[in-house]
Structure formats: C-alpha cells, structure tokens
Amino acid sequence: MMSTTDDSFSVTHDPIDIQRPTLKERWWHIMDTWKVGIIPLPLFVLAGVLIAIDCLGGKLPSDIVVMVATLAFFGFACGEFGKRLPIVGKLGAAAICATFIPSAMVYYGLLPDVVVESTTKFYKSTNILYLYICCIIVGSIMSMNRTVLIQGFLRIFFPMLCGEIVGMLVGMGVGMALGLEPFQIFFFIILPIMAGGVGEGAIPLSIGYATLLHMDQGVALGRVLPMVMLGGLTAIIISGCLNQLGKRYPHLTGEGQLMPNRANADATASQPAFSGKADVTTIASGALLAVLLYMLGMLGHKLIGLPAPVGMLFMAVLVKLCNGASPRLLEGSQVVYKFFQTSVTYPILFAVGVAITPWQELVNAFTVSNLLVIISTVSALVATGFFVGKKIGMHPIDVAIVSCCQSGQGGTGDVAILTAGNRMSLMPFAQIATRIGGAINVSISLLILGNFLV
C-alpha cells in the first residue's frame, strides 16, 4: 500500500509482497550451510561419485589431485560420524573414528583395495605428515609471544618428568597387583607407552630388545606396537575429556596457552596484533618459512642425529626469539597454521589409519590386565601433569593435554590427541613431550637393560 501527504512521502509493503528466496539463493544456502566437515554437501556427494567411478574402473590414481579429494571425502566423513556420536562425540571420538574406522575397514575388507593401495602409496611416498607437522609447529610458535614462549618451554619439563615418574610407579604397582612380572610390565607395557610413538619409539625398542634379549625383531615389535597404540587411544580419550572439563571450568584452562593471561598481557603489550587480512603472497611466504625450517631440521638430523621435527622446532623458536620474522610473515604463518588445522587434520588421520595402523594388533592387545596397566599409567601421568602444572602457576588442563602426548603414537598421535583436546596450538610442546621425552626414555631404558643383562 502507498500513502502520501503534503509534507512527506512514505511507502509501506504488504507482507504478501515479501520476496521469497529464488532457486539460486536456495542453492547457495545449501552450499554454505549444509556441510560434512568443511565440505559443502553437494561437493561431498560429487566427490563420492567421482571416487566410486574410479574404483569401479579398477584404478584410483595416487597423484596429489585425486588423493586430496579422496582423503578429504573419507577423512571428513569419519570425523563427522565421530562428532555426531552421543556423549563420546564430545570426548574426542572424531579423531578416534578418523583414525581407527579406516584401519578396521582395511582389515575387514570394507574399503576398496584401490583406495587402500593409492592412499598407502601416497602417504608413504610424499611424507605429507611432516608437511602437516612443520606447518602446525611453525605457525603455532610464530603466533605465540616471546615471553610466554620462553616461560612455557622452561616450565613444561618439570610436569613432564614428574608425570613419567608417577606414571611408571603406578603402572608397575597395578601390574604387580594383577600378578604380572615386573620385567614384562616395565619393558613391554609401560616403556612402549612412553617411547614416543612407532618410528622413534617402538621400532628402536624392538631393535634393542632383539639384540639384548636375543629374540626376533618382528616378535618384539609385535609385542610392543599394540601397547603404543592402546596408550595413544587412552590418551586421545583423556584429552577429549580434559577439553570438556575446560569448558565446564574455564578458570582451569588457557585454551591452548600454558601460561596465565597476566604473562600474556605483559608480553604482548608491544606486540602488533594480527589483522586477519594477510594477502596471498604473505601466506605463501609463511608456508615457505615452515618448509625451509623443516629442511634445516633435516640437515641437523644428518649432522648430529637430532630428529628433524625437533631441530625444526628449535630453529622456529630461535627465529621467534630473535625477531627474525616480520609481523607480516608471522601473520602469514598463522594463516597457514589455521588452514592446516581446519582442513588437513582429518584427511591426514584417515591416511594414517589406512597406511600404518594395524587393526589386528590393536585387537590382540585388548586384555583386561593390559588395559588396566595402560589406563592407570596414562591416567597417573596426565593427572600428575595437571596438578604439578597448577602448582607451578601454569594452566593445568593445557599442561595435562601436553602430558597426554607423552603417551601418543609419535607425530600422528600428537595430531589425534590435540585434535581431541581442541588444542592444536600446543603442538610445539607436544613434540617436545613425544620426540625428546621418548628418545630419552628409550635410550636410558636400553642402557639400563644392557647393564642389567651383563
């Protein structure tokens, strides 16, 4: 309806005249709001159809273009399924499902052979996990302030050490109460849990056991590997529970910061804030910085034997402390970090589940005695980290989540644990717990074993 006066002109619309969304706008609404993970539902369906066509043709290319779509399709499908599970969906089930559902599907033949072959070939030939880890580590370090970074690295070692000591004592006590032999408890259950994963922990342990105990390495690895996997699974679940605890009691967590906000406020007073508007060249430079620092870590590994991720971590800390990167470059690194955290985590976990997670090994280790020793060990380790961290003025939940990584499956375990705990920014500290802590545990324990048998 329309009405006019001498002094004004106004127009009113009848409610019947309100324009309804067009077909184009409805389609855009579906694309923007209906998603599986980060993938719009129509694109998710299209990806599934294209993958199915390739599988029916008997060949799924393992090149990066096809594998990006394949890993995204399966990874986000498994993650979304885990998120929607009642109760456990909020306790880290997404990371567990993204890793272990693919492993089970491979074992029971539910995943097409061409998908398994292409995924395994792509994962092992590209070392994409290390690209993921280097971008996460460098990005998270570059987004920290210098003072908190120093304080965090100096303080985190004490809760880690206390946690390992208490965890070992509790695990030994529970195992002996169940009638297990002390030697078997320590060297074949507890130590594998804290050894730093598969590549840096289980395999060196199996080699050492084969030499010192005069047993076949394959047999030793078969006994050690399930404990590593069950310890990692326990840590993922505990990390998810800690995340929920932090939501209920916000004063116990820094949401990815180890140190209280007072330290943050003092340290960042003169630090420029991120604008969130980094251009393409800045983002590309941030990614290149992460890659080059990892290459320096690889060089360090060749020269002195230090694991490449640890060498890269130290180099990134040095760059940050010396103000070696400009504010724009720091911002680019942070955008790269957020991209990998949001878009690459679940595809990576799916690839890990298919390529290097043996389902039968995990099932075989599910005995009551093993489970009780593993759960008590990891729980004691994490609880000690929680209370010691709180005692020395750190955020206890964030310290406890880092402590969870002491029981993870190396880099892949760190990704799953931090994803379950929603604390991916703690990756630098997780790498210290996994790589350095695991290497120290393995070295000292094999040294003690060698002297004990002499």
Side-chain angles (χ1 to χ4, degrees):
M1 294 185 296
M2 184 183 301
S3 63
T4 63
T5 65
D6 294 335
D7 300 324
S8 64
F9 179 79
S10 64
V11 178
T12 60
H13 295 282
D14 192 279
I16 299 177
D17 295 333
I18 295 177
Q19 192 175 22
R20 294 182 179 180
T22 64
L23 182 61
K24 175 182 67 176
E25 291 170 337
R26 290 178 181 176
W27 175 252
W28 288 350
H29 177 75
I30 293 174
M31 291 284 285
D32 292 339
T33 58
W34 294 13
K35 295 183 178 181
V36 178
I38 66 165
I39 309 174
L41 183 59
L43 298 185
F44 180 82
V45 173
L46 177 61
V49 171
L50 294 174
I51 293 168
I53 291 173
D54 281 337
C55 291
L56 291 174
K59 184 177 181 181
L60 183 70
S62 60
D63 60 78
I64 190 170
V65 175
V66 176
M67 293 315 300
V68 165
T70 303
L71 299 186
F73 176 82
F74 287 105
F76 283 113
C78 294
E80 192 71 22
F81 174 78
K83 286 180 182 179
R84 295 182 180 276
L85 290 175
I87 302 176
V88 295
K90 296 181 179 180
L91 303 178
I96 294 173
C97 289
T99 306
F100 293 104
I101 286 180
S103 176
M105 291 177 69
V106 172
Y107 179 76
Y108 293 111
L110 301 177
L111 203 61
D113 291 340
V114 289
V115 174
V116 177
E117 293 169 3
S118 297
T119 301
T120 303
K121 180 179 178 182
F122 175 78
Y123 178 82
K124 293 185 176 181
S125 64
T126 60
N127 276 336
I128 190 172
L129 176 66
Y130 290 102
L131 174 63
Y132 175 88
I133 289 177
C134 75
C135 289
I136 289 290
I137 289 178
V138 173
S140 55
I141 287 178
M142 295 306 165
S143 64
M144 294 180 185
N145 62 69
R146 297 168 70 251
T147 302
V148 173
L149 182 63
I150 296 173
Q151 292 177 345
F153 272 103
L154 291 178
R155 292 196 186 187
I156 194 62
F157 286 99
F158 186 60
M160 286 169 49
L161 177 61
C162 294
E164 289 199 351
I165 294 173
V166 174
M168 289 178 180
L169 292 175
V170 170
M172 288 292 295
V174 171
M176 292 175 67
L178 293 172
L180 301 178
E181 296 181 8
F183 183 87
Q184 301 297 324
I185 299 170
F186 182 80
F187 287 101
F188 285 94
I189 301 180
I190 295 177
L191 183 58
I193 294 174
M194 302 181 185
V198 178
E200 296 84 358
I203 293 177
L205 272 182
S206 66
I207 295 173
Y209 290 168
T211 303
L212 297 173
L213 301 177
H214 307 290
M215 60 190 302
D216 183 80
Q217 185 190 348
V219 174
L221 185 61
R223 293 180 60 182
V224 167
L225 187 59
M227 306 307 164
V228 176
M229 296 176 62
L230 282 178
L233 178 59
T234 304
I236 294 171
I237 295 172
I238 293 177
S239 180
C241 295
L242 287 168
N243 182 40
Q244 292 303 308
L245 183 65
K247 292 179 180 179
R248 188 167 183 177
Y249 302 102
H251 65 283
L252 295 176
T253 179
E255 293 294 337
Q257 295 289 338
L258 290 178
M259 306 302 299
N261 288 331
R262 285 178 298 177
N264 278 338
D266 295 338
T268 58
S270 60
Q271 183 170 326
F274 290 117
S275 67
K277 299 180 180 179
D279 56 36
V280 175
T281 57
T282 301
I283 297 171
S285 299
L288 183 61
L289 173 63
V291 171
L292 293 178
L293 288 176
Y294 183 74
M295 292 179 68
L296 285 175
M298 293 174 64
L299 180 62
H301 177 67
K302 293 179 180 179
L303 295 177
I304 60 176
L306 188 68
V310 177
M312 174 195 63
L313 188 154
F314 288 149
M315 293 301 299
V317 171
L318 181 62
V319 170
K320 178 68 177 180
L321 296 183
C322 297
N323 291 316
S326 67
R328 286 188 64 188
L329 188 56
L330 296 179
E331 187 167 6
S333 297
Q334 187 178 31
V335 173
V336 172
Y337 156 74
K338 290 181 178 179
F339 169 78
F340 273 81
Q341 177 189 14
T342 305
S343 306
V344 187
T345 299
Y346 291 114
I348 283 287
L349 291 177
F350 171 79
V352 166
V354 171
I356 62 172
T357 306
W359 177 256
Q360 188 59 44
E361 300 275 356
L362 184 68
V363 173
N364 290 341
F366 265 93
T367 65
V368 175
S369 56
N370 285 346
L371 285 174
L372 289 176
V373 173
I374 291 170
I375 292 172
S376 60
T377 300
V378 178
S379 299
L381 187 157
V382 174
T384 303
F386 181 97
F387 289 110
V388 172
K390 184 177 181 180
K391 189 70 175 179
I392 62 177
M394 304 176 77
H395 290 298
I397 288 179
D398 302 274
V399 175
I401 291 178
V402 172
S403 298
C404 286
C405 295
Q406 293 177 260
S407 306
Q409 298 180 55
T412 58
D414 290 344
V415 174
I417 291 167
L418 297 182
T419 300
N422 195 28
R423 300 290 193 285
M424 195 61 73
S425 59
L426 294 175
M427 180 62 83
F429 305 101
Q431 288 289 293
I432 289 177
T434 303
R435 310 282 182 177
I436 298 179
I440 292 174
N441 289 338
V442 171
S443 301
I444 294 178
S445 298
L446 290 179
L447 184 63
I448 293 174
L449 180 61
N451 291 332
F452 175 77
L453 295 174
V454 172

